[in-house]
Amino acid sequence: MDTGFNWREALKFGAIGGVAVLFFCLVGMVEAFDARDVIFKTLSLGRSLLVVVALGMGYFSSQRLSARKPGRAVLTGLVVGVVSSVVTALLVFLAEPLNMREMFINASPKLIKILTFSQDSYAVGMLIQTGVMTGLSILGALLYLLPDLPRKLIINGLAAVLLIGMLQELLSVILARSSYTKPVAKFLFGSKGLSYTGAVVVFIVFALISAFRTTQSERIGRRYAGMTAPQQVVFRWVAIVAGVLFLIVLPQAVGPYISQILVLVGLYTLMGLGLNIEIGLAGLLDLGFVGFFAIGAYTTALLTSTSDLGLASVMAGEPVRASYTNFWVSIPVAVIVSGLAGVFLGIPVLRMRGDYLAIVTLGFAEIIRILVLSDFLRPVLGGAQGILNIPKPVLETFNLVIKDPGQFYYLIIIGSAIIAFVAFRLQNARIGRNWIAIREDEDVAEAMGINLIASKLLAFGIGAAFAGLSGAIFAAQVGSVFPHSFALIVSINVVSLVIIGGVGSIPGVIVGSLVLVGLPELLREFAEFRMLIYGAMLVIMMLVKPEGFWPSEVSRRELHTGEETATVPPVAETTGAA
């Protein structure tokens, strides 16, 4: 017996895994997700949750307890898997005697059937469940013992199988749009989920891509660094042209439904780029960012609407069928008004930091919402009924009305590119360095001569202006604005995507928008679990990858400097050894 084995910690990890399984079961995720197959007639998405828990707990418990010893890793995985299965067995055997469904409505016979692998005998079913979860937990523990490269290949390959299997219905429709890619869809997918051969092919392909990226990225970086300045310029322009061509053909390749999702992702990207200036660069925690989004939307609505509340009707004194200004004129007005609102908010909170600033900005968003809903401003803003009849943008030169999701996609892509360029230039300018200094330490920044008032107000104003642009496009795309479209959850979503994507990183904002906005929209049948998944993802990211999916170099250095310096021997010890 391994005398150095920490039984208490192993039992604790097993109990955590069992509680995680109980949680997923009792909130209804296992049963709801079981309707979608990852691998046809083999692995459902509901069972995949249990697989991920077993593998994950085996992996992390081995990371903490095995000390990279195979025997200890196997024992760790065994204990964790058995304890997790025992906790799950309690649910199976006690659900009916305790009539748990009166309190937990999701403790249904269908859930018990899933957990017992449809066996008539609960005992036989739980033996199978115990064997499967224990085996997966041991595999997870052994996975940690592998060298870095094989471990990355396996994890990335499994993640690709899970993701592509989840999106089978959508990807099948996209691939079937072309006669060239239709055979690929038939080969990869069954009627539900991936086929067996498709799963193997996806695993191998993405593992190879991961291997290439891991082994060749450093070599490619060295080759790029060895290029002459003109060669680097040509390389960058080739990459830019390739990216632009990809973005141009994307709506035609994916269809209107995905184009609509991309429009939503683009709107959140615009807001994320603005909030990234406040949080990522200046360190100003703004939880009321949706207020600026609403100001931009309502400004455009008032300027362009042909309803009774539109500016044209107000100027004429009676309802008219034409707007006073067109969309293109309203855009700069909405941006300026939102920017001024950001400066107005920044004035009373100049000396506030952290939690206090978050509470004040949260109150600002609530004030905006209450004012919009109030009877006092109802003759101007429409109250709960909102503002209707907002016309679509028109390109008079080409006699083109922008109304389809694919057309709005191009508008948002242009807007995002402009905003990203401005944000990049600001980030690398003197004002960007001032913001970063303020984020690190306001007192030191002020002592160095940085004007805190001007810098903070500029951060609030520019961030709000970006949100106003997003709101203006949103109003034109939807054709109406209502107060319920600007709930607090919008601010929470934007903050979450900035954090998960990578604080202070422009590409990170885009990645965060795709993960937190695009992916849930593709799985609309699971919308009731969206906030649960948001919360879990935030917790996991803070524990596993606190810098985000695509962090800035500054954030990466800040969070990993301690790890790097810990591997360097102290000077005194090195000198003594010499």
Side-chain angles (χ1 to χ4, degrees), residues 530-552:
R530 174 181 294 191
M531 298 313 301
L532 177 62
I533 295 172
Y534 271 18
M537 187 173 292
L538 284 171
V539 171
I540 293 171
M541 287 297 297
M542 293 304 99
L543 293 175
V544 178
K545 196 174 176 64
E547 69 273 20
F549 283 115
W550 195 324
S552 64

Side-chain angles (χ1 to χ4, degrees), residues 226-266:
M227 292 180 181
T228 63
Q231 289 176 332
Q232 291 183 354
V233 171
V234 171
F235 180 84
R236 286 197 296 267
W237 276 108
V238 169
I240 291 172
V241 170
V244 170
L245 291 176
F246 172 78
L247 294 175
I248 290 174
V249 303
L250 186 58
Q252 284 72 33
V254 299
Y257 175 65
I258 303 298
S259 297
Q260 178 60 40
I261 294 177
L262 291 175
V263 167
L264 185 60
V265 170

Side-chain angles (χ1 to χ4, degrees), residues 50-127:
L50 309 182
V51 171
V52 170
V53 170
L55 281 172
M57 293 310 300
Y59 182 92
F60 289 113
S61 60
S62 177
Q63 186 181 38
R64 291 285 299 274
L65 306 176
S66 70
R68 288 198 170 274
K69 296 180 179 179
R72 189 175 294 183
V74 172
L75 184 57
T76 300
L78 177 65
V79 173
V80 171
V82 170
V83 174
S84 300
S85 301
V86 170
V87 176
T88 307
L90 293 176
L91 172 62
V92 173
F93 288 109
L94 297 179
E96 290 185 7
L98 297 180
N99 196 15
M100 294 178 63
R101 202 171 187 190
E102 287 189 356
M103 181 176 295
F104 301 104
I105 192 172
N106 294 305
S108 62
K110 183 178 179 181
L111 174 63
I112 304 303
K113 189 176 180 180
I114 294 171
L115 295 177
T116 58
F117 289 84
S118 302
Q119 298 294 318
D120 295 331
S121 171
Y122 287 175
V124 174
M126 287 315 301
L127 284 175

Side-chain angles (χ1 to χ4, degrees), residues 447-526:
M448 293 174 62
I450 295 175
N451 189 328
L452 296 185
I453 294 177
S455 298
K456 284 188 175 183
L457 291 181
L458 195 58
F460 276 116
I462 294 175
F466 290 176
L469 174 62
S470 179
I473 298 176
F474 169 79
Q477 198 258 336
V478 176
S480 58
V481 290
F482 301 97
H484 66 78
S485 300
F486 311 103
L488 175 63
I489 190 60
V490 177
S491 290
I492 302 300
N493 290 344
V494 181
V495 172
S496 299
L497 70 87
V498 170
I499 294 174
I500 288 180
V503 174
S505 170
I506 294 175
V509 171
I510 300 172
V511 173
S513 300
L514 290 172
V515 172
L516 286 186
V517 179
L519 188 58
E521 288 294 326
L522 297 175
L523 303 171
R524 290 294 294 178
E525 65 266 41
F526 308 132

